[in-house]
């Protein structure tokens, strides 16, 4: 069963890669704009992370009777980042294509955000344990 899961994940990743290449080539031909790009991914990543931590902060403030505004503001900032991605896609393409593809793009980015966040946190943890080497002769 584990082998089938791994094969399923590999097939899903290949299908996602092919879909991303197809959407980018279509939007590049028609609008001279790649719908999947680094800028929109970075903005979506920051937005999703802000929403996640803002929601966590908000729910912990509710249980501890703390200040709710901090979490609400962080969620609002995350939503602003996501809406700016939608705006960027609409301004560089047509209204219909921009809205439809923004939904598709945000779904792809939502799936890609948690593994990247885990990878970044593991990298920070790894490099924070690195001690400088001093050679005293």
């Amino acid at each position: 069963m584990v082998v089938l899961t791994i094969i399923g994940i590999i097939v899903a990743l290949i299908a996602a890669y092919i879909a991303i290449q197809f959407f980018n080539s279509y939007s590049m031909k028609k609008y001279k704009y790649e719908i999947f790009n680094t800028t929109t991914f970075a903005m979506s990543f920051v937005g999703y992370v802000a929403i996640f931590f803002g929601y966590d902060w908000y729910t912990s403030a509710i249980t501890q009777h703390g200040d709710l505004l901090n979490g609400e503001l962080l969620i609002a900032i995350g939503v602003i980042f996501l809406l700016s991605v939608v705006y960027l896609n609409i301004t560089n393409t047509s209204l219909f294509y921009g809205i439809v593809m923004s939904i598709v793009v945000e779904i792809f980015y939502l799936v890609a955000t948690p593994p990247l966040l885990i990878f970044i946190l593991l990298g920070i943890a790894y490099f924070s344990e690195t001690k400088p080497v001093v050679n005293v002769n």
Side-chain angles (χ1 to χ4, degrees):
M1 193 67 183
V2 174
V3 174
L4 290 177
T5 304
I6 292 171
I7 291 172
I9 290 171
I10 291 171
V11 168
L13 288 174
I14 291 171
Y17 175 77
I18 291 170
I20 288 170
Q21 292 301 318
F22 173 75
F23 291 136
N24 271 348
S25 67
Y26 175 78
S27 66
M28 198 62 165
K29 285 179 195 172
K30 188 157 185 171
Y31 301 108
K32 304 285 188 248
Y33 173 73
E34 286 187 337
I35 202 78
F36 288 91
N37 59 45
T38 309
T39 304
T40 57
F41 178 68
M43 291 170 65
S44 295
F45 178 78
V46 169
Y48 285 130
V49 169
I51 290 171
F52 173 76
F53 286 113
Y55 180 75
D56 185 49
W57 201 344
Y58 178 77
T59 55
S60 67
I62 286 177
T63 59
Q64 298 172 357
H65 303 293
D67 187 15
L68 302 176
L69 187 60
N70 295 329
E72 291 171 348
L73 285 175
L74 205 52
I75 292 171
I77 290 169
V79 169
I80 289 171
F81 270 98
L82 296 180
L83 289 177
S84 64
V85 170
V86 173
Y87 176 76
L88 188 64
N89 287 339
I90 290 173
T91 56
N92 289 317
T93 62
S94 67
L95 178 66
F96 178 73
Y97 188 77
I99 290 173
V100 170
M101 287 310 297
S102 291
I103 293 169
V104 172
V105 163
E106 291 303 331
I107 290 171
F108 272 91
Y109 290 164
L110 178 62
V111 172
T113 296
L116 180 63
L117 181 62
I118 291 169
F119 180 72
I120 289 172
L121 292 176
L122 288 175
I124 290 171
Y126 174 75
F127 288 115
S128 68
E129 291 296 317
T130 304
K131 305 287 188 262
V133 176
V134 179
N135 187 3
V136 180
N137 287 331

